Amino acid sequence: MTKIDTSRPETVLPTPSHTVGPFYGHALPFPGGGNIAPVGHPDTIAVQGYVYDGEGDPLPDAFLELWGPDPDGNLPTVDGSMRRDPASGGFLGRNGVEFTGWGRVQTDANGHWSARTLRPGARGQSAPYLSVCVFARGLLVHLYTRIYLPGDEAALAVDPLLARLDAERRDTLIAARQGDGTYRFDIRLQGEGETVFLEFQ
């Protein structure tokens, strides 16, 4: 888009861009990125939600990376989330059997994302949680947060991170159980109800 300087009609000036990259959605998502749980595993859970910007509008071009331990709290060491065809180099997705604990999902046109993974087990003194990394336009540095699952209030009450937060901020890290058995976790990048983000040094 250009704008015309009306005092000098022959001059065309560039218009500042309307948004800031980088734009991740073209090369980084891969088929089956949100299908982290092995097919038919009894401890499979579905987690879904929306990513919202500071104005409360959904982001259609964000993506999330999710990591989680297995139901026993062990961190998987299996490779293979992004298998490629050796001949064509194309993505084959997952093998559907092994649990790598890692996935990558993109938001759709409505800012919605979803993933299927195994219910994480507790590790150390922490209540069970999934780690999340958020990438989106305008974020020059990606953001880290956690998804805690409701149900074990005793574990949530003594979690070292949650115990340091007031109730309102704490609730931004706990998913809500839906009537259909899924968990909903919305991410708000700024403004009212902003999700708690973590800084690692």
Side-chain angles (χ1 to χ4, degrees):
M1 182 176 177
T2 59
K3 68 179 179 181
I4 307 267
D5 181 348
T6 55
S7 66
R8 297 176 53 196
E10 72 281 1
T11 304
V12 177
L13 302 174
T15 300
S17 65
H18 287 88
T19 187
V20 176
F23 302 99
Y24 298 99
H26 299 290
L28 294 177
F30 62 97
N35 296 323
I36 305 166
V39 176
H41 196 289
D43 292 319
T44 299
I45 60 169
V47 185
Q48 55 89 21
Y50 291 84
V51 178
Y52 297 105
D53 66 15
E55 299 294 319
D57 296 324
L59 285 180
D61 53 4
F63 78 83
L64 311 178
E65 289 185 348
L66 306 167
W67 298 273
D70 67 19
D72 294 324
N74 300 314
L75 294 176
T77 58
V78 177
D79 293 331
S81 292
M82 299 193 309
R83 295 180 309 128
R84 290 182 179 268
D85 183 302
S88 69
F91 287 117
L92 294 176
R94 302 174 190 279
N95 65 14
V97 177
E98 296 172 305
F99 178 65
T100 64
W102 180 83
R104 180 184 287 158
V105 294
Q106 186 173 5
T107 56
D108 64 17
N110 297 314
H112 184 261
W113 65 274
S114 64
R116 289 176 46 262
T117 189
L118 296 185
R119 176 180 291 281
R123 302 190 72 238
Q125 296 179 326
S126 297
Y129 66 86
L130 298 170
S131 295
V132 182
C133 186
V134 182
F135 300 81
R137 60 182 154 95
L139 290 181
L140 301 181
V141 177
H142 43 274
L143 302 172
Y144 295 97
T145 190
R146 291 180 178 179
I147 302 174
Y148 288 91
L149 301 177
D152 188 344
E153 298 309 314
L156 293 172
V158 297
D159 179 88
L161 172 63
L162 295 178
R164 295 172 55 189
L165 303 171
D166 62 46
E168 185 177 325
R169 301 292 289 140
R170 181 179 182 269
D171 287 345
T172 70
L173 296 178
I174 302 174
R177 178 102 184 188
Q178 304 292 286
D180 61 1
T182 66
Y183 293 93
R184 176 157 177 182
F185 186 79
D186 294 337
I187 296 172
R188 288 178 168 77
L189 300 182
Q190 289 180 322
E192 185 176 349
E194 177 183 323
T195 301
V196 170
F197 295 106
L198 309 175
E199 182 177 316
F200 294 97
Q201 299 179 357

